[in-house]
Amino acid sequence: MEHNRGCQRWIDGNGAGDGGGDVAALDYLTGEPARRNAIVSVGNKRPPPTESPQPECRSPPKREKREHDAASSTVATTPPQTPPRATPTPPPRTPQRTTPQRTTPLRTTPPPPIPKPLADAIDTIQTKVFRDYALSIREQLAYCNVIPAKEAVTVPLHSLDRFEEFPRSLADGLRSLGFEHVYAHQAQARKMLKQNKDIILSTPTSSGKSLAFNLGIFEHLLKHKLAASQIGGDLNSEASALYVYPLNALAADQLGKLEQLNNSLPPADRLRMVILNGKLSLPEKMELFEDDMPHIVITNPDALHYQLRRGFQDSAWSNWLRFLRRLRFCVLDEAHTYRGVMGGHVANIIRRLHLHIESLGGAPGRVQYLLASATVGNPVQMTAKLLSRPDTQRIHHISENGSRAPERVLLCMKPLAELAMEDDIDAATAAMIIGQWISRGWRSIVFCNSTKTVNKIMIYIQKKELNASKVRTYYKGRKEQTKTNTLDQFKSGTVRCIISTSALESGVDIPSLDACLLVGYPGESMSFWQRVGRVGRSNPGLIMFQPSSFNHIDLYFAEHPATFMSTDAMKNIEDVAFNSDYPSILSKHIWCAAVESGIPDDKVESMFGPNALPLVKSLEAEGHIKLKSGIFRGLGNPHQSISLRGNGLAQITVKAVFIDPEVAEEVVIEELDERQALQRLFPGAIFYSQSDDSGEMKHYDVESLEIGTKHGIALLKTSCYAFDSQAESLRKTSVDLLTVWKESSFQLGDSPECGELCLTYGWSTVKMSVYGCSSRQLIYKTPYTMQYDAPCIRFRLSKSAISYLAQPELQMLVQQKQQLLHQTKPQGQQEKQQFTQQLELLQFRIHQLQLDIDTPVSAARKQVEIGISALHTMFHLLTRAVPLLLLSSAQDVDEAAEADEGFLFDSCEGGTGVCEEIFKRFIEFTAKARDLAMACKCQPSQNKRVSCKCIHRHPCIQFNRGLCKTWGLLALPVNNSTGPSSTSSSSSTGPGPLSSAQANSACLSVPSASVSALTSVSPSESGLVSAHRHVPTSLVEEEEEEEEQEQTVATEADASAHSRALGELEARLADESVLLKSSKAEFERLESALVQERIKTEQAL
């Protein structure tokens, strides 16, 4: 109790503390237990510095001095601005209240030395404030990587206009903005544009990609504008450019940069620019094109999708059609976002754009595309697929970075698993770090993987008074005006920290950021490096990764940080993959194109690919399009049926409305889509949101939720629960197989006794339901359900297959026991006691496995556990192979596992084509999945909650719990199918059967409590959840079968040898059986002792 009071006083300056997760976070950050008389404080009790610290660069200090001082220095929770090694104790601070002067150091023993590689890495940090900070928390760091500063490679501006090709007004405008030089890659982009090349620019974030595009585009548009304005000039020679950004915030940010460049020109030379998005009403959109043709239109894919249908029957859109006819350039920024389903849709929008331009008399082949992405693994291939231009000779890839790059310091914290005193330890730790950074005067951004985590951190910041007024949240559900105000307040300095989801991951330029905290791994290295790129743009930047205590992949990366944070890891970015020719996607866009401009019957395949003609015939048969005078014309309004970003669920907007009892008026707190609403606004939930004005976190009780076809409303009231309370929903994902198209079965292992895996491919309805609130013990009369229809594959394991999968752990236990018995006999009393305990534990586990065979109820339960875990792991392995074998993303397919079967299903309405290809080429997929898994030489971790990233998937509906690499590998069949309806591909020959020994050598760890989390089965009294295991009746039969395959004729000597081996093995098996039977009472005694010991331990705690 005394310890907790001291911890709380350390946090908020008063003595009323409650301990918990924030105490653990405090101990974690300081490297020692908090002391009662400590006078260091964090938060608004300590006035922050008046100025942001200026990073100081200096040569690294000598190694010998660093080691000596590191061993004797005291770790300060809020580190001083001078290196700790300069003074062995923290510098004096003005105390908040009268406190006796401390006469002894906080630490009675010197801190343990940090590993030499980590110390050496910290030594290389050139920015003094970051080096001091890393030293102050060195005991909590697992890894440090320093990306050194880089000098710019520039080209003088005067070299661009020495031949009078570059417009003089543009050159003068650039000089007025401070540009005397341009980066080398910017000059190269201009050169390639003049050579009529399509460009993909993959230089790092903040490398000046926007100016690389604008330089050549402004030059071309300005020349044609000036030529058309001259006497006798051709007015039809004017050109136009289309800028497409995936997010409205990014489009608004880039509009500011374009306007800055445009305003530097003389008024007569300035280009006309407009921004077109879904927030504008139809009359407002028409006003944009009312007076004249704009030279530049800034939009997003969603708005462009609808805008393409404008104009053919309305003269008010004549300037829009004129803009398209003269289109010369198209910019696709943040191109890595166009992957999966969205990538397939955007590729088809570009096809429709080309058809539109051609129907207006323009030349789509003349349009040059400029793509940008700092994080893409296959830039040229992605560009060719997205533009439907297979000729890669036209595509020029620019990867050499000519921009200046300040130093970036990447730190990885040690996992918090051993300190997790409560579920909110991650949020408490992140809040403490934010408080430290604000007290240092740093401007920072924090990235979380969910809105729930964002709000949890903000709750702790407000609860512990860690300068909450200087922190704002930012995520999709926040109102647009609120998000705009947040960015403005951050740029002005009123706000010092933004806690965000992936909403600020791409593109938006937030200047002068000092630090970035990543709370949890985002699931992809593409996203990780995008978040890292938010800092270190103009000043040195610090990036810190805080692994989640309850996420397996985070814990794995905390143990192997170099695999994703090293300089080499920056090059291992995932490929962008999508399928633009999948029928359910392609047919809708063909229908839209027929409505917009019509499709000439001789242009169907050239515009939409070889799969288009059958789809056109199908649409014609259904009456959606008609052939008139050689042109397919469309009927109806198909645009509404397309959701570019998913399965159509996001089209419904749900408003969270609070009825203020004081003024009796409705206040809209946030606006969410349907999926978000069912996560945060289910009846009984506690809804957290930050106030737009004061920044105070408020919480409400959700009274009701009504969702219509286009809109929904959730009514909120003042909460009657504690401020940091949480409520969990009851949810379920189910797959109803409606129509069976094909079936196939595959043998596991190397014999029919190993069982079968049965596959059924068909049409299904996927339902995601929220049916209650567990925290309030509510079950809704009518569940809230989101559903869509898509292809699926059903997987079923036979009972003999379950027994086959159960063999490895029993073999492993018997092997461990034999090794223990053959070890040198223990000598001392302590060694004998330890030996006896290990032997009893192994015997106890073997006994439990044997009981699972004899008890039908237990066997059935274990079969369910093994089946779900095996299918769950196998699904993860198969989806990892998707982008390697298909032009699709792993996110284009999803999974669900139930008691006796599992499903893979396409992740959007109508399907993505992934399930169809997996079924048709199943052996090819299993071979690739096995190769990927076996290529990872993972070993069982000392931390039982850690499993290797090679079997992880993001996102996973079960949060990557209940995975077992051994079972997943054994569940992958080899190239042998059975059954009359088998349709598996035989062209791909995979490797031979994977033996149990091979599966165990890949990864011996078997899930324990994690499996119970999947099946809601309580663990056994010993705390070990074992799985049902099949004990072979004759171990010699396997030896004899292997021998028969190697030798066709056995000699009498061989037969005699086999006979002796048979006798020995049977005798060994009999001894084991006798031992199990005779020791039953001993096992029961051990089990009772374990229970009593647990009770004593709980009482002691």
Side-chain angles (χ1 to χ4, degrees):
M1 183 64 68
E2 188 69 13
H3 169 72
N4 285 351
R5 285 200 298 269
C7 292
Q8 186 64 23
R9 182 180 296 109
W10 188 95
I11 294 173
D12 58 18
N14 57 47
D18 57 358
D22 40 293
V23 175
L26 171 61
D27 295 349
Y28 177 80
L29 289 174
T30 59
E32 61 175 315
R35 305 301 179 95
R36 178 181 177 86
N37 295 326
I39 62 174
V40 180
S41 64
V42 173
N44 55 12
K45 300 293 182 180
R46 173 188 174 190
T50 56
E51 296 181 0
S52 178
Q54 297 298 322
E56 174 185 338
C57 295
R58 50 177 270 180
S59 59
K62 294 182 179 180
R63 179 79 186 104
E64 294 81 2
K65 180 174 175 56
R66 174 65 51 79
E67 288 181 347
H68 171 75
D69 293 329
S72 60
S73 62
T74 299
V75 178
T77 306
T78 304
Q81 297 301 320
T82 57
R85 61 183 184 283
T87 55
T89 57
R93 295 187 177 93
T94 303
Q96 302 299 316
R97 58 185 182 274
T98 303
T99 306
Q101 182 69 29
R102 177 179 293 278
T103 59
T104 59
L106 291 176
R107 189 184 294 276
T108 58
T109 58
I114 60 176
K116 188 175 184 300
L118 178 60
D120 291 342
I122 295 176
D123 279 345
T124 63
I125 301 176
Q126 300 295 303
T127 308
K128 181 179 180 299
V129 292
F130 295 159
R131 185 173 63 251
D132 293 345
Y133 182 74
L135 282 171
S136 68
I137 61 171
R138 57 191 179 275
E139 295 178 45
Q140 285 72 51
L141 295 181
Y143 181 76
C144 172
N145 179 36
V146 180
I147 303 176
K150 172 186 171 297
E151 295 299 325
V153 179
T154 61
V155 175
L157 188 62
H158 64 77
S159 66
L160 302 180
D161 60 346
R162 56 184 172 179
F163 299 112
E164 297 185 355
E165 295 181 355
F166 202 74
R168 176 64 59 182
S169 60
L170 181 57
D172 293 340
L174 288 170
R175 289 190 179 95
S176 69
L177 295 175
F179 291 96
E180 290 294 340
H181 298 78
V182 294
Y183 295 138
H185 64 273
Q186 294 171 338
Q188 185 183 7
R190 171 184 177 262
K191 180 181 177 181
M192 292 298 105
L193 275 183
K194 296 177 73 67
Q195 296 179 12
N196 297 319
K197 296 282 189 179
D198 294 323
I199 297 174
I200 170 66
L201 191 61
S202 61
T203 54
T205 55
S206 70
S207 59
K209 290 189 286 291
S210 298
L211 184 59
F213 297 157
N214 298 337
L215 205 61
I217 292 176
F218 265 71
E219 176 186 3
H220 186 93
L221 298 184
L222 193 55
K223 280 183 179 180
H224 284 73
K225 180 180 185 296
L226 295 176
S229 62
Q230 294 177 357
I231 300 176
D234 183 9
L235 296 178
N236 292 323
S237 66
E238 286 192 79
S240 61
L242 181 67
Y243 285 67
V244 182
Y245 297 97
L247 301 173
N248 285 334
L250 179 56
D253 182 68
Q254 293 299 316
L255 175 62
K257 295 181 179 180
L258 287 168
E259 288 179 338
Q260 184 183 37
L261 179 58
N262 196 40
N263 292 335
S264 69
L265 303 175
D269 294 352
R270 291 174 186 170
L271 305 176
R272 186 166 183 266
M273 298 182 296
V274 300
I275 186 166
L276 178 70
N277 56 42
K279 295 188 294 183
L280 300 176
S281 63
L282 183 59
E284 290 173 330
K285 293 177 182 177
M286 297 179 70
E287 288 180 6
L288 300 177
F289 302 93
E290 187 175 15
D291 298 330
D292 199 358
M293 180 199 81
H295 297 94
I296 295 177
V297 172
I298 304 170
T299 187
N300 57 60
D302 310 81
L304 181 60
H305 164 64
Y306 288 101
Q307 187 65 20
L308 285 175
R309 67 179 178 178
R310 314 284 187 196
F312 278 94
Q313 299 176 358
D314 192 343
S315 59
W317 296 102
S318 59
N319 284 324
W320 162 247
L321 301 181
R322 182 182 165 200
F323 170 87
L324 291 179
R325 185 167 60 250
R326 299 178 184 178
L327 188 64
R328 188 68 176 79
F329 304 102
C330 181
V331 174
L332 300 173
D333 201 3
E334 303 295 339
H336 61 274
T337 60
Y338 303 132
R339 62 188 188 270
V341 175
M342 187 176 182
H345 283 301
V346 172
N348 278 292
I349 289 176
I350 294 175
R351 287 170 169 173
R352 287 161 48 194
L353 177 64
H354 291 168
L355 178 64
H356 216 76
I357 295 172
E358 185 172 285
S359 65
L360 293 171
R366 188 183 65 160
V367 179
Q368 290 179 255
Y369 287 86
L370 303 93
L371 286 76
S373 175
T375 53
V376 59
N378 56 338
V380 175
Q381 294 79 1
M382 176 204 67
T383 303
K385 182 68 177 175
L386 193 63
L387 306 182
S388 297
R389 289 179 173 175
D391 181 16
T392 56
Q393 296 298 320
R394 179 173 174 173
I395 301 171
H396 185 78
H397 177 211
I398 300 176
S399 58
E400 292 296 328
N401 178 27
S403 67
R404 169 187 171 272
E407 181 185 55
R408 287 178 180 173
V409 179
L410 285 82
L411 303 177
C412 178
M413 300 174 67
K414 291 178 181 178
L416 306 173
E418 296 180 358
L419 299 170
M421 298 175 63
E422 59 181 45
D423 291 345
D424 292 339
I425 179 66
D426 296 321
T429 304
M432 299 295 293
I433 293 173
I434 294 170
Q436 291 180 354
W437 289 358
I438 293 177
S439 68
R440 286 171 167 263
W442 292 359
R443 297 158 63 93
S444 60
I445 186 169
V446 179
F447 283 107
C448 306
N449 297 327
S450 67
T451 304
K452 182 178 180 180
T453 305
V454 169
N455 288 327
K456 271 189 176 183
I457 296 174
M458 192 63 220
I459 289 170
Y460 263 89
I461 291 175
Q462 180 171 314
K463 183 179 178 181
K464 304 305 176 185
E465 300 182 0
L466 302 176
N467 284 305
S469 61
K470 297 185 178 182
V471 184
R472 291 291 185 273
T473 59
Y474 192 106
Y475 48 84
K476 183 179 179 182
R478 305 286 282 165
K479 292 181 289 187
E480 290 296 328
Q481 187 59 48
T482 301
K483 292 190 285 188
T484 301
N485 293 341
T486 296
L487 295 178
D488 291 341
Q489 291 172 351
F490 188 85
K491 293 176 182 178
S492 67
T494 306
V495 171
R496 307 297 293 181
C497 176
I498 295 179
I499 310 175
S500 175
T501 59
S502 59
L504 286 177
E505 182 179 293
S506 297
V508 178
D509 187 12
I510 305 176
S512 303
L513 275 171
D514 299 305
C516 171
L517 175 64
L518 282 77
V519 183
Y521 184 69
E524 298 174 323
S525 58
M526 185 183 297
S527 296
F528 174 80
W529 289 105
Q530 278 289 331
R531 298 180 180 189
V532 168
R534 296 306 99 199
V535 299
R537 291 173 171 254
S538 56
N539 300 318
L542 174 74
I543 300 97
M544 180 180 290
F545 171 66
Q546 177 194 329
S548 172
S549 305
F550 306 95
N551 188 298
H552 292 71
I553 195 168
D554 280 32
L555 296 175
Y556 174 84
F557 277 135
E559 291 186 356
H560 308 86
T563 58
F564 77 109
M565 294 187 75
S566 66
T567 305
D568 292 337
M570 296 174 62
K571 304 173 184 178
N572 299 326
I573 304 295
E574 298 91 351
D575 290 349
V576 170
F578 54 85
N579 185 1
S580 57
D581 295 327
Y582 189 66
S584 65
I585 295 176
L586 181 58
S587 61
K588 292 182 180 179
H589 287 279
I590 291 176
W591 186 5
C592 289
V595 171
E596 294 162 356
S597 57
I599 310 174
D601 58 355
D602 59 344
K603 296 283 187 180
V604 172
E605 291 193 6
S606 61
M607 284 292 180
F608 292 96
N611 297 338
L613 195 57
L615 297 176
V616 168
K617 298 298 184 184
S618 176
L619 289 169
E620 186 180 20
E622 294 172 0
H624 296 310
I625 62 175
K626 293 183 179 180
L627 182 62
K628 297 180 179 180
S629 303
I631 298 178
F632 288 102
R633 300 289 184 182
L635 304 174
N637 183 16
H639 296 71
Q640 294 288 345
S641 65
I642 298 179
S643 176
L644 302 187
R645 301 174 188 266
N647 53 26
L649 301 177
Q651 293 181 352
I652 300 177
T653 301
V654 180
K655 294 183 178 181
V657 177
F658 172 66
I659 302 178
D660 193 338
E662 296 182 358
V663 295
E665 66 176 3
E666 296 183 354
V667 180
V668 177
I669 306 299
E670 292 186 15
E671 296 181 354
L672 295 77
D673 61 42
E674 184 180 8
R675 187 185 296 273
Q676 293 175 319
L678 293 189
Q679 292 174 348
R680 300 180 59 202
L681 289 173
F682 55 90
I686 300 178
F687 184 77
Y688 288 90
S689 183
Q690 190 177 28
S691 171
D692 296 345
D693 301 325
S694 63
E696 179 186 1
M697 283 296 293
K698 297 183 178 180
H699 65 307
Y700 311 88
D701 291 341
V702 181
E703 277 195 300
S704 62
L705 174 63
E706 296 181 4
I707 299 178
T709 56
K710 291 186 178 181
H711 304 284
I713 186 170
L715 296 181
L716 311 178
K717 67 176 183 179
T718 302
S719 180
C720 58
Y721 296 97
F723 178 63
D724 56 354
S725 300
Q726 299 290 335
E728 299 295 334
S729 63
L730 297 171
R731 57 182 63 242
K732 179 182 180 181
T733 299
S734 61
V735 181
D736 296 331
L737 185 60
L738 305 178
T739 304
V740 174
W741 290 332
K742 294 181 181 179
E743 292 182 317
S744 183
S745 58
F746 296 86
Q747 175 187 302
L748 302 185
D750 54 1
S751 67
E753 288 77 11
C754 295
E756 292 182 341
L757 174 66
C758 302
L759 274 64
T760 303
Y761 175 57
W763 186 255
S764 66
T765 296
V766 180
K767 296 181 180 179
M768 292 164 282
S769 303
V770 176
Y771 59 91
C773 177
S774 59
S775 305
R776 309 286 176 260
Q777 297 183 349
L778 293 176
I779 300 297
Y780 308 143
K781 293 182 179 180
T782 303
Y784 298 93
T785 302
M786 303 177 295
Q787 68 179 51
Y788 63 91
D789 295 336
C792 78
I793 306 174
R794 183 180 65 192
F795 294 77
R796 282 182 174 173
L797 289 166
S798 63
K799 290 185 178 180
S800 54
I802 298 291
S803 299
Y804 165 69
L805 296 176
Q807 294 180 19
E809 187 175 359
L810 180 61
Q811 295 173 357
M812 180 180 65
L813 292 174
V814 173
Q815 182 181 6
Q816 290 177 356
K817 178 183 174 182
Q818 294 298 327
Q819 291 176 351
L820 186 63
L821 291 174
H822 287 82
Q823 289 178 356
T824 304
K825 292 186 178 181
Q827 301 297 329
Q829 182 66 25
Q830 185 175 0
E831 292 183 3
K832 289 182 179 179
Q833 184 178 3
Q834 184 177 6
F835 174 84
T836 303
Q837 290 176 350
Q838 292 177 354
L839 182 61
E840 288 181 344
L841 180 60
L842 286 173
Q843 291 174 337
F844 178 66
R845 294 181 64 185
I846 293 173
H847 175 63
Q848 279 192 315
L849 297 180
Q850 186 71 32
L851 289 178
D852 286 339
I853 300 175
D854 299 334
T855 309
V857 175
S858 179
R861 184 189 67 184
K862 296 306 176 184
Q863 286 180 0
V864 170
E865 293 181 1
I866 296 174
I868 291 181
S869 181
L871 292 175
H872 186 199
T873 308
M874 182 179 66
F875 292 160
H876 283 207
L877 295 174
L878 289 174
T879 53
R880 290 190 70 213
V882 167
L884 301 180
L885 297 177
L886 303 175
L887 287 176
S888 299
S889 167
Q891 308 304 322
D892 290 347
V893 65
D894 213 332
E895 60 169 306
E898 298 180 0
D900 59 346
E901 60 188 11
F903 290 89
L904 282 179
F905 51 89
D906 289 348
S907 59
C908 77
E909 176 72 38
T912 61
V914 175
C915 282
E916 179 183 3
E917 291 299 320
I918 290 177
F919 185 84
K920 286 167 37 178
R921 302 159 57 187
F922 187 62
I923 292 300
E924 186 178 354
F925 272 87
T926 58
K928 178 61 70 174
R930 184 182 295 110
D931 291 343
L932 291 173
M934 297 298 290
C936 180
K937 305 302 181 182
C938 54
Q939 296 295 330
S941 172
Q942 296 298 324
N943 189 333
K944 296 184 182 299
R945 295 192 296 168
V946 177
S947 59
C948 180
K949 68 170 184 176
C950 66
I951 58 174
H952 282 220
R953 183 170 186 253
H954 180 82
C956 171
I957 193 173
Q958 297 294 346
F959 306 101
N960 289 306
R961 294 195 296 259
L963 297 173
C964 175
K965 186 173 180 179
T966 301
W967 292 342
L969 286 172
L970 290 175
L972 293 174
V974 296
N975 188 20
N976 45 8
S977 58
T978 61
S981 59
S982 172
T983 57
S984 62
S985 171
S986 60
S987 60
S988 173
T989 57
L994 187 70
S995 66
S996 298
Q998 289 174 311
N1000 277 321
S1001 67
C1003 184
L1004 293 176
S1005 58
V1006 178
S1008 54
S1010 55
V1011 178
S1012 296
L1014 282 175
T1015 57
S1016 300
V1017 178
S1018 301
S1020 59
E1021 287 297 325
S1022 66
L1024 301 172
V1025 180
S1026 57
H1028 172 61
R1029 296 293 179 263
H1030 170 68
V1031 180
T1033 56
S1034 177
L1035 300 177
V1036 182
E1037 292 178 358
E1038 297 179 4
E1039 273 192 31
E1040 291 178 342
E1041 291 178 2
E1042 294 176 359
E1043 195 68 23
E1044 288 175 359
Q1045 294 176 0
E1046 296 177 358
Q1047 298 179 354
T1048 57
V1049 179
T1051 61
E1052 289 186 6
D1054 291 333
S1056 176
H1058 287 313
S1059 178
R1060 288 195 299 271
L1062 172 63
E1064 292 175 0
L1065 290 174
E1066 287 180 342
R1068 186 184 305 173
L1069 185 61
D1071 292 341
E1072 290 290 340
S1073 177
V1074 171
L1075 178 62
L1076 289 174
K1077 293 178 180 179
S1078 63
S1079 303
K1080 184 175 181 180
E1082 181 66 19
F1083 292 142
E1084 293 176 352
R1085 182 198 64 78
L1086 176 60
E1087 184 176 9
S1088 176
L1090 288 172
V1091 173
Q1092 293 299 324
E1093 186 65 28
R1094 177 181 296 173
I1095 294 174
K1096 292 178 181 179
T1097 303
E1098 292 176 352
Q1099 292 175 348
L1101 291 176

